[in-house]
Structures are given as structure tokens and as C-alpha cells.
């Protein structure tokens, strides 16, 4: 048993867990499940097409997770801040221990409508544009900095 795989030691499912799993499998195999999967892939493809049209580079294959490449000069910390500013929740995958460039991971669902996707792409493009220019030198002496909010200390 010293070299046996981890699957040889497991706990059985409870009757409630088993019933939940069987119900989920019934939904997956149903017409509703097929419709949900088709809507999910259509929404992911729509988001990829709109991101590409907005000048952003998508990565990977068609899936519910749409990855967007970050330009090499963009700092992920800036993008995180700008995403919060525009009201968009997305994960910035940034692992300095790998050679993989940072990327943004967007999760699309079957229940998003075309307007939700368009709104997300518009906000994302705005966040990318703002993150690319905040603090970026525009000449030898001038630095563009974010505007201060009213009522904040200088």
C-alpha cells in the first residue's frame, strides 16, 4: 500500500451528495443543459470577437474563461486599480515565477446577454487605456498622473 495511488483511500459520498450529483448529471444531459452549453460558447465567442474588435488580444481556445493578454509595458497593478475604477471584476493572472506574460481572465456565463458583454468590453477597453497612460512619461519633463478626487489631500 505504500506506493498505491491516492484514489485507494477515499470517503464514500453521503446519500444527499449522491442525489445532488445525479440531479446535476440529469440537468447536464437534458435539453436545458445542451441549450446552456450552446449559449455559453456563443457568449464566449461573442466576447472574444468584441475584444478583438476593440484592439485587445485574446489568448487560448473557446471556453467560458476568456484570457486577454496584457501589453508588455503595462503593470498588472495599474490594471487592477483601473478595473476597480470602471466597476469591472476580473482576475489578473500575474505570476512572476513563470515566464508566462500576465493576462486578464474574464469569466463568461450562459446568462450574460449581448448588452452585458458589450458593456464589459467597453469598460475593459477604458481600463486598459487608463492603465496604459497613468504615470507614463509623455515628454522628458512631463508626467501624466491620475486626477485627484475632490476632497482628498494633495
Amino acid at each position: 500500500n505504500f506506493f498505491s495511488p491516492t484514489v485507494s483511500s477515499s470517503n464514500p459520498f453521503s446519500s444527499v451528495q449522491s442525489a445532488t450529483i445525479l440531479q446535476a448529471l440529469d440537468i447536464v444531459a437534458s435539453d436545458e443543459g445542451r441549450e446552456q452549453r450552446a449559449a455559453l460558447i456563443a457568449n464566449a465567442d461573442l466576447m472574444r470577437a468584441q475584444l478583438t474588435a476593440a484592439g485587445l488580444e485574446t489568448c487560448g481556445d473557446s471556453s467560458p474563461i476568456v484570457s486577454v493578454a496584457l501589453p508588455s509595458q503595462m503593470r498588472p497593478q495599474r490594471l487592477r486599480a483601473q478595473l476597480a475604477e470602471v466597476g469591472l471584476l476580473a482576475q489578473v493572472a500575474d505570476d512572476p515565477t513563470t515566464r508566462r506574460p500576465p493576462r486578464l481572465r474574464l469569466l463568461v456565463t450562459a446568462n450574460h446577454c449581448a448588452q452585458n458583454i458589450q458593456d464589459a468590453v467597453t469598460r475593459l477597453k477604458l481600463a486598459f487605456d487608463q492603465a496604459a497612460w497613468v504615470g507614463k512619461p509623455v515628454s522628458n519633463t512631463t508626467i501624466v498622473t491620475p486626477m485627484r478626487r475632490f476632497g482628498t489631500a494633495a
Side-chain angles (χ1 to χ4, degrees), residues 101-115:
R103 63 204 178 287
L104 186 67
R105 293 169 46 102
L106 304 168
L107 182 61
V108 182
T109 70
N111 295 326
H112 282 121
C113 67
Q115 184 59 46

Side-chain angles (χ1 to χ4, degrees), residues 31-118:
D31 289 339
E32 177 190 0
R34 283 185 283 281
E35 289 170 11
Q36 289 286 314
R37 284 191 302 280
L40 177 61
I41 294 303
N43 283 345
D45 290 344
L46 176 62
M47 178 165 266
R48 285 178 182 281
Q50 289 188 9
L51 287 166
T52 301
L56 301 172
E57 179 187 352
T58 61
C59 315
D61 297 324
S62 184
S63 79
I65 299 173
V66 178
S67 294
V68 180
L70 272 61
S72 60
Q73 73 277 9
M74 184 179 290
R75 292 194 351 232
Q77 299 84 352
R78 279 193 189 158
L79 183 59
R80 282 186 190 102
Q82 293 305 320
L83 289 170
E85 285 290 322
V86 298
L88 190 63
L89 179 63
Q91 177 188 14
V92 179
D94 176 30
D95 185 2
T97 62
T98 66
R99 294 186 179 176
R100 190 177 215 179
R103 63 204 178 287
L104 186 67
R105 293 169 46 102
L106 304 168
L107 182 61
V108 182
T109 70
N111 295 326
H112 282 121
C113 67
Q115 184 59 46
N116 296 143
I117 293 170
Q118 180 60 53

